[in-house]
Amino acid sequence: MSTLTLYNTRTRAKAPFMPIDPENVRAYLCGPTVYDRAHIGNARNVVIFDVLIRLLRRLYPKVTYVRNITDVDDKINIRAQERGVSIEEVTAGPIRWYHEDMAALYTLPPDIEPRATAHMAEIIAIIEKLIRNGHAYEAQGHVLFSVASDPDYGKFSGRTPDELIAGARVDVADYKRDAGDFVLWKPSTPDLPGWESPWGYGRPGWHIECSAMSWRHLGESFDIHGGGDDLIFPHHENEIAQSCCAFPGSHYANVWVHNRMLLVNGEKMSKSLGNFLVLHEVLEKAPGEAVRFMLMRAHYRQTLDFSDAGLAEARKELDRFYRAIQLHPNAREREVPLHLIWDALLDDLNTPAAIAALHKYADLAFAGNEVGAVALKAAGKLLGLFNVSPEEWFRGGIDEAAIEGLVAQRVLARIAKDFAESDRIRDVLLKDHGVIIEDGPKNSYTIRKA
RNA sequence: GGUCCGGUGGCAGAGUGGUGAUGUAGCGGACUGCAAAUCCGUGAAUGUGGGUUCGAUUCCCGCCCGGACCUCCA
């Protein structure tokens, strides 16, 4: 099998992927902070990483996929205080929703889904190491990472310390030695969630959580770390600083895979614009597979515009694939050449090229070649597509009983060559039942949802 | 202001130093009572000005336009 090539944010270049341990590829994805429903941007991230994980599983005997849940965070605390409930009560719903939404997109669950609140021992251990190494200091109940202590700080995101200071827009807290120093541990008042620590009752900073969870489950160094490109700075820069300083000689993640942000109907998603697309709401209007497909239509390192028109096109493309599959119901799974899709995916997850390959296979299937249908199914599986049968795809959700009579009447009308009546019924089926009826030879017909 | 990324047919979206994928939409045709689907055919693009080169959409520089990050953010 050929080699997977990935673009690595750390080196700003594409390079062949070389696992630390080919017997166990270890990957970490920054998961959600669970205070609300996931939005469509969260979904792109997970879908892209899902494609990567599926690919790695074909290439290597074992892949350990870790995706964390940040379940302690100031946004969560605020919700808890507003509602007068515990943070567990705030996070339980969003965690459940997250699992439901991601399953609806046919993304594979991670092998390990660690929660920050269950890793306080690791968090405290790393902070203690950093203090011992001279990379962190305690000040007014806080523990801060000292960016000046790390000569490599800023290299990952391509920033110099001067830029970081110049760019600091927020008033610098007086307990910070450097404007760029960031919090590892902060004190909690009794009304806030907290844990006992060598520095008193408090809670962790955000960045340290990922360092602790990846360390516990993947070790000091691992293969791939993913996330949205907005996390490059400061989150990932800080993770690297914490982990590399706590574990001298380690590299933290070798390869960094960052996806670009998503636009919605040409605009950045933001609460002020009121165009925050909640994934759950999108999934009520479109099949999960169409949403998934839509998110793969642009290369992951390219801005993707999530538009209604795009979603409609995604559905049409999937319609075409399912038709091609449906044409060969007895096609049996077997080894078929899949160079086109493999070449596309191995080249830095080129999903648009992979989709073009799918269309080539569909062309073959439509031309009557069963191998095309077999290849299409196999290639789709690689991308996490075709999770339902063509029948389910086209007819799922149709109330067959409700239209039975109309359909029968229309058959009779067509036999009687009463085309005015048959067209009227076709119209009613579409308008009142959302069903498209298509005629075949000898008064046969097929139905599908509009 | 600093750093970075991008501008490809109506729209979406790949790739490439040498006849510019793929989808969708359009147009003509076959098929159909008509549609739909499918098939055949067809028109349609590399922001702009320079440079390098036998040759640039691809490499380099300027300009214009758009976006991201620098602050919580996938």
Side-chain angles (χ1 to χ4, degrees), chain A residues 1 58 331-342 361 364 369-380 382:
Chain A
M1 194 60 74
R58 299 298 186 94
R332 132 192 90 73
E333 247 183 82
R334 73 192 102 137
E335 286 291 315
V336 291
L338 292 168
H339 308 293
L340 281 177
I341 182 122
W342 272 104
Y361 299 139
L364 279 176
N369 190 337
E370 192 180 280
V371 168
V374 177
L376 178 58
K377 275 203 269 192
L382 210 48

Side-chain angles (χ1 to χ4, degrees), chain A residues 320-334 360-377 389-391 394:
Chain A
R320 181 171 139 83
F321 296 143
Y322 273 109
R323 265 186 209 110
I325 291 168
Q326 199 169 31
L327 210 55
H328 299 275
N330 300 317
R332 132 192 90 73
E333 247 183 82
R334 73 192 102 137
K360 295 275 189 207
Y361 299 139
D363 286 343
L364 279 176
F366 282 125
N369 190 337
E370 192 180 280
V371 168
V374 177
L376 178 58
K377 275 203 269 192
S389 67
E391 291 68 34
F394 288 117

Side-chain angles (χ1 to χ4, degrees), chain A residues 249-325:
Chain A
S250 73
H251 306 285
Y252 200 48
N254 275 349
V255 181
W256 289 80
V257 174
H258 287 102
N259 62 280
R260 275 279 183 74
M261 298 293 99
L262 195 64
L263 301 178
V264 171
N265 292 316
E267 292 179 314
K268 188 190 170 174
M269 264 198 300
S270 73
K271 285 182 177 149
S272 56
L273 285 168
N275 62 347
F276 232 78
L277 259 194
V278 175
L279 181 54
H280 180 249
E281 288 170 10
V282 174
L283 287 168
E284 283 178 343
K285 291 180 201 152
E289 204 163 274
V291 177
R292 179 185 176 94
F293 190 78
M294 165 88 213
L295 294 171
M296 303 193 302
R297 291 178 85 223
H299 186 88
Y300 74 92
R301 286 191 288 112
Q302 214 60 51
T303 305
L304 168 65
D305 187 11
F306 193 95
S307 65
D308 298 331
L311 191 56
E313 276 192 32
R315 260 195 78 176
K316 281 185 188 174
E317 285 191 71
L318 284 168
D319 281 349
R320 181 171 139 83
F321 296 143
Y322 273 109
R323 265 186 209 110
I325 291 168

Side-chain angles (χ1 to χ4, degrees), chain A residues 69 71-72 113-123 195 213 216-217:
Chain A
I69 286 179
D71 58 353
V72 52
E113 190 171 56
R115 299 187 184 188
T117 49
H119 292 74
M120 286 304 148
E122 288 80 3
I123 288 169
W195 290 261
M213 289 186 270
R216 159 89 172 271
H217 299 287

Side-chain angles (χ1 to χ4, degrees), chain A residues 391-422:
Chain A
E391 291 68 34
E392 168 67 19
W393 176 258
F394 288 117
R395 301 170 69 142
I398 293 180
D399 184 351
E400 309 259 352
I403 61 168
E404 204 173 8
L406 282 169
V407 170
Q409 279 176 44
R410 185 162 179 281
V411 171
L412 292 176
R414 293 192 68 225
I415 289 169
K417 302 217 184 297
D418 184 353
F419 296 121
E421 173 67 359
S422 98

